[in-house]
């Protein structure tokens, strides 16, 4: 399966921005709710070294895909500590089968949004992942925010887990369409053709599992005779030579 189109529903996370302090979450280690985050007048989670904050989410059986995201501020930490901040998704299926997905935080591959910590302006970076479930009955998902041996605190806000809604036809989709693909880096430059061209430049997110992802995208614009307009039809991605042979996931969001 190359590309799948999904329309996503509501956020399944309870208390995603520490509105009710740690309610709905299980905290292990030095974790508190503090004033701040990406919304004015809000709160966020402050997580110290070797700590975790987790929540179990029960989903309906008919879903087969999820989109997860969150905002993280790690300003002031040593550069080597960035890879020690992560989101984990522990997916449980019937029969004892389990998948563990680790999404490492790297400001190099995230968009940013202004926020604050205790009233002081800071920048938060967005962490995004998109995943398909196995063709096996789903039991539940454990969403875990985790740090390892960091020299300070990481701040998490606006944690989100949304699953796909049933979509019968492409014409029924009124919101953003998400294209998701997994592929191998067979050469330093990889060109991906979009299944549906975009009228405006889309948002592109790339992740190489287990690596800090560095890449240079070049969007290709071509004339579409059926629409009588120039459209974004493909993207050419340049990776570091040391990433050749690895697998990557790509998330494209747009209209």
């Amino acid at each position: 399966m190359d590309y799948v189109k999904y329309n996503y529903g509501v956020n399944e996370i309870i208390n995603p921005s520490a509105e009710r302090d740690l309610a709905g979450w299980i905290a292990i280690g030095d974790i508190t709710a503090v004033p701040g985050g990406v919304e004015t007048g809000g709160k966020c989670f402050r997580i110290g070294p070797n700590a975790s904050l987790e929540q179990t989410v029960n989903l309906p059986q008919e879903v087969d895909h999820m989109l997860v995201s969150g905002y993280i501020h790690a300003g002031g930490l040593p550069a080597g500590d960035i890879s020690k901040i992560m989101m984990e998704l522990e997916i449980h299926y019937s029969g004892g089968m389990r998948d563990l997905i680790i999404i490492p935080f790297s400001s190099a591959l995230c968009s940013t949004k202004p926020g604050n910590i205790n009233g002081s302006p800071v920048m938060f970076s967005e962490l995004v992942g998109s995943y398909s479930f196995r063709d096996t009955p789903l039991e539940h998902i454990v969403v875990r925010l985790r740090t390892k041996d960091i020299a300070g605190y990481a701040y998490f806000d606006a944690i989100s887990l949304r699953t796909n809604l049933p979509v019968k036809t492409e014409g029924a989709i009124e919101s953003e369409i998400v294209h998701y693909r997994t592929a191998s880096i067979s050469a330093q430059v990889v060109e991906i053709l979009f299944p549906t061209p975009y009228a405006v430049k889309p948002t592109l997110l790339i992740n190489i599992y287990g690596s800090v992802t560095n890449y240079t995208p070049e969007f290709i614009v071509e004339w579409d005779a059926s629409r009588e307009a120039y459209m974004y039809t493909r993207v050419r991605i340049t990776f570091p030579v040391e990433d050749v042979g690895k697998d990557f996931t790509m998330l494209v969001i747009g209209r």
Side-chain angles (χ1 to χ4, degrees):
M1 179 176 65
D2 279 350
Y3 278 92
V4 188
K5 298 179 181 179
Y6 294 106
N7 190 23
Y8 292 97
V10 299
N11 187 7
E12 301 287 348
I13 297 294
I14 298 172
N15 191 27
S17 297
E19 304 96 329
R20 294 182 286 131
D21 295 328
L22 303 183
W25 296 87
I26 297 175
I28 301 174
D30 182 5
I31 301 175
T32 56
V34 298
V38 295
E39 298 296 335
T40 302
K43 294 181 181 179
C44 60
F45 300 109
R46 187 184 75 167
I47 302 182
N50 298 308
S52 66
L53 188 65
E54 67 179 50
Q55 181 175 142
T56 299
V57 179
N58 296 302
L59 299 174
Q61 291 297 318
E62 59 267 22
V63 301
D64 55 20
H65 196 83
M66 66 178 171
L67 180 69
V68 295
S69 63
Y71 284 94
I72 301 175
H73 170 68
L77 292 179
D81 281 3
I82 299 300
S83 62
K84 301 175 184 178
I85 304 168
M86 64 203 72
M87 180 186 295
E88 295 181 349
L89 305 170
E90 192 176 294
I91 307 171
H92 293 257
Y93 300 93
S94 64
M97 187 180 298
R98 185 188 73 163
D99 286 338
L100 178 61
I101 299 170
I102 300 175
I103 312 173
F105 171 61
S106 169
S107 57
L109 56 87
C110 302
S111 61
T112 58
K113 186 174 182 178
N116 77 92
I117 301 295
N118 291 314
S120 299
V122 298
M123 295 300 294
F124 279 79
S125 297
E126 186 177 22
L127 185 67
V128 178
S130 179
Y131 301 95
S132 295
F133 300 124
R134 294 175 182 264
D135 188 18
T136 302
L138 180 67
E139 290 190 347
H140 63 272
I141 300 174
V142 178
V143 179
R144 185 177 298 112
L145 315 177
R146 185 183 173 200
T147 64
K148 293 184 179 179
D149 189 22
I150 60 176
Y153 292 95
Y155 298 84
F156 289 76
D157 192 25
I159 309 304
S160 175
L161 186 155
R162 297 185 293 153
T163 60
N164 60 298
L165 297 173
V167 177
K168 294 183 179 179
T169 64
E170 183 176 342
I173 301 176
E174 298 177 353
S175 58
E176 291 179 326
I177 295 176
V178 177
H179 301 287
Y180 174 69
R181 179 172 185 168
T182 60
S184 295
I185 305 175
S186 56
Q188 192 173 0
V189 179
V190 177
E191 187 169 294
I192 303 294
L193 175 67
F194 300 139
T196 303
Y198 292 94
V200 295
K201 188 177 179 179
T203 298
L204 174 69
L205 296 167
I206 301 281
N207 185 60
I208 302 174
Y209 180 75
S211 298
V212 175
T213 306
N214 295 303
Y215 62 93
T216 304
E218 178 188 355
F219 290 94
I220 309 299
V221 177
E222 298 175 303
W223 177 256
D224 189 318
S226 64
R227 294 175 174 83
E228 296 185 343
Y230 283 98
M231 308 288 288
Y232 290 87
T233 59
R234 64 189 73 212
V235 64
R236 188 175 295 126
I237 309 166
T238 302
F239 293 97
V241 65
E242 59 266 22
D243 286 337
V244 174
K246 297 180 180 179
D247 294 330
F248 73 96
T249 57
M250 181 179 76
L251 184 68
V252 188
I253 306 173
R255 299 179 183 274

